[in-house]
Amino acid sequence: MAIGPVARVSQVRVTQPVMTIVWATVILAEPLTWPTLLGALAVIVCAILSVRTRLGL
């Protein structure tokens, strides 16, 4: 992550908690609830929107 552009790398860092939830579900068989899914989706949507806004798309 140290070699990437700051605008994109910072958004990858935002999605890391979401990926942690996914891996905890897959590897540790943690329960995945609707509120967790909705929160994860909100984080991903906000990260995508902020990248698109910074790039002017």
Side-chain angles (χ1 to χ4, degrees), residues 28-51:
L28 302 174
E30 290 286 330
L32 191 58
T33 62
W34 282 108
T36 304
L37 286 174
L38 291 175
L41 181 63
V43 168
I44 292 170
V45 167
C46 289
I48 290 170
L49 289 175
S50 66
V51 168

Side-chain angles (χ1 to χ4, degrees), residues 2-49:
I3 61 173
V6 173
R8 288 189 187 267
V9 171
S10 65
Q11 301 315 312
V12 170
R13 293 191 62 200
V14 169
T15 60
Q16 283 178 342
V18 175
M19 293 308 298
T20 301
I21 293 168
V22 169
W23 286 117
T25 302
V26 171
I27 295 172
L28 302 174
E30 290 286 330
L32 191 58
T33 62
W34 282 108
T36 304
L37 286 174
L38 291 175
L41 181 63
V43 168
I44 292 170
V45 167
C46 289
I48 290 170
L49 289 175

